[in-house]
């Protein structure tokens, strides 16, 4: 598996897409960059980080017969892989916030941006961008962000973490072939606010409910005050925390 290491780039996701356009990339190739001038997050957000402190990583994954309806498995695999990596680095008290943020306590330590290329009913390939806050100590104007160093007191090498993350992702893609249900079970086991009654924002209204689980389509199941279970997908609801 190839790991390409860059010093600076606009965004590792964009870089991977450029390599794809040139036909110059193999399955499981990953790119890291010490700095991104134009890092991107979900919902058109920007992803900012201090140079040389964190892990900016993108994996290129191609598929032969991966059906679109299973696309949430990509969120599951990427979040479980980051979860497991951080566990190896002695992080405790972390969880997966639906759909695919990694939290340490109540603060975000990692974010994931998955961009799929679709052909007919199949996903042709996926560009999986993962940002992990590793050594950054200050998050100006981002009170809900944290890093591995802040949480464990230890400095780590983003490069070494990238090598391990690439291996873990590959293992989890192999597990996906054999036992996708195990991945979904783990995802639910590590879910942020699972079984807790908290506030959600949906349709400009507050919904107080208990998070039951996430199903394989990626929908979140919430039991409302009347005991009725409601189902939502990603753009329909936001957790208030
Ligand atoms: C989010 O939480 O909104 C997702 C953040 C994803 C950030 C990573 S860093 C590496 C890759 N390159 C990008 O431009 N974004 C992703």
């Amino acid at each position: 598996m190839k790991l390409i290491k860059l010093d600076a780039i606009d965004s590792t996701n964009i870089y991977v897409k450029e390599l794809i356009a040139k036909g110059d990339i193999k399955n499981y190739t990953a790119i890291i960059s010490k700095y991104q001038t134009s890092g991107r997050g979900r919902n058109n957000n920007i992803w900012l980080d201090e140079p040389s402190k964190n892990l900016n990583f993108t994996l290129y994954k191609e598929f032969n017969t991966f059906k679109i309806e299973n696309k949430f498995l990509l969120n599951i695999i990427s979040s479980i892989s980051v979860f497991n990596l951080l566990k190896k680095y002695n992080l405790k008290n972390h969880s997966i916030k639906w759909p695919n943020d990694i939290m340490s306590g109540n603060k975000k330590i990692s974010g994931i941006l998955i961009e799929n290329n679709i052909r007919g009913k199949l996903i042709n390939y996926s560009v999986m961008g993962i940002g992990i806050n590793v050594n950054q100590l200050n998050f100006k104007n981002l009170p809900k962000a944290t890093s591995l160093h802040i949480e464990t007191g230890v400095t780590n090498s983003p490069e070494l973490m990238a090598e391990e993350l690439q291996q873990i992702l590959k293992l989890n893609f192999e597990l996906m072939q054999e036992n996708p249900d195990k991945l979904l079970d783990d995802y639910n086991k590590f879910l942020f606010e699972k079984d807790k009654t908290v506030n959600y924002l949906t349709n400009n209204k507050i919904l107080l409910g208990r998070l039951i689980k996430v199903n394989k389509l990626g929908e979140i199941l919430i039991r409302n005050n009347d005991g009725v279970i409601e189902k939502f997908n990603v753009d329909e609801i936001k957790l208030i925390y």
Side-chain angles (χ1 to χ4, degrees):
M1 282 188 299
K2 198 164 162 188
L3 178 63
I4 301 172
K5 299 173 185 173
L6 307 173
D7 285 330
I9 192 73
D10 44 7
S11 145
T12 50
N13 272 33
I14 295 176
Y15 187 80
V16 165
K17 286 190 265 178
E18 285 166 1
L19 293 183
I20 295 168
K22 286 192 216 148
D24 192 18
I25 191 163
K26 291 210 176 84
N27 200 14
Y28 287 114
T29 294
I31 317 290
I32 54 171
S33 181
K34 289 189 177 145
Y35 182 55
Q36 297 187 114
T37 52
S38 178
R40 295 168 343 127
R42 288 178 50 234
N43 305 320
N44 280 328
N45 286 328
I46 51 170
W47 182 260
L48 282 176
D49 70 331
E50 255 178 55
S52 298
K53 297 275 184 191
N54 297 333
L55 180 58
N56 300 309
F57 173 104
T58 299
L59 182 85
Y60 168 67
K61 179 71 186 92
E62 51 190 37
F63 304 102
N64 295 320
T65 53
F66 191 98
K67 296 194 184 113
I68 287 184
E69 65 220 46
N70 293 326
K71 75 169 193 236
F72 193 69
L73 266 174
L74 301 172
N75 301 67
I76 295 179
I77 287 184
S78 49
S79 14
I80 285 186
S81 299
V82 176
F83 183 93
N84 289 338
L85 176 76
L86 292 173
K87 195 167 166 195
K88 272 186 86 177
Y89 280 79
N90 294 320
L91 189 67
K92 313 243 159 29
N93 190 26
H94 58 308
S95 59
I96 301 171
K97 179 165 165 279
W98 178 75
N100 54 5
D101 286 343
I102 311 300
M103 309 294 286
S104 173
N106 259 321
K107 294 184 168 180
K108 177 160 163 173
I109 193 163
S110 167
I112 301 174
L113 173 65
I114 300 174
E115 299 181 89
N116 294 323
N117 179 278
I118 290 161
R119 198 179 36 191
K121 289 184 174 158
L122 299 178
I123 297 182
N124 201 8
Y125 61 80
S126 180
V127 174
M128 308 179 82
I130 298 176
I132 304 179
N133 299 331
V134 179
N135 296 317
Q136 188 166 332
L137 292 177
N138 297 304
F139 293 90
K140 239 206 224 152
N141 306 326
L142 289 172
K144 287 189 200 154
T146 191
S147 70
L148 192 56
H149 190 139
I150 295 174
E151 298 299 324
T152 61
V154 178
T155 305
N156 284 290
S157 154
E159 272 190 34
L160 281 182
M161 289 179 76
E163 287 167 21
E164 286 177 76
L165 180 58
Q166 194 179 18
Q167 298 285 351
I168 295 174
L169 282 160
K170 182 159 187 277
L171 288 175
N172 280 326
F173 272 111
E174 285 160 7
L175 184 61
M176 176 180 92
Q177 306 290 339
E178 295 154 27
N179 197 351
D181 292 345
K182 156 98 174 74
L183 289 167
L184 178 63
D185 286 352
D186 279 353
Y187 180 93
N188 273 301
K189 206 156 78 192
F190 307 143
L191 204 56
F192 182 66
E193 304 288 32
K194 173 116 190 294
D195 296 326
K196 299 221 173 98
T197 301
V198 285
N199 282 316
Y200 295 86
L201 186 66
T202 172
N203 258 329
N204 291 322
K205 280 188 302 232
I206 302 278
L207 162 75
L208 181 67
R210 184 181 163 109
L211 201 177
I212 305 298
K213 66 169 191 173
V214 173
N215 66 19
K216 64 165 108 168
L217 298 175
E219 295 164 323
I220 196 167
L221 272 59
I222 294 167
R223 191 191 306 273
N224 70 19
N225 258 346
D226 304 325
V228 177
I229 295 182
E230 299 191 48
K231 246 194 253 175
F232 301 91
N233 60 45
V234 172
D235 13 273
E236 291 172 337
I237 195 163
K238 222 174 134 80
L239 170 65
I240 306 171
Y241 70 102

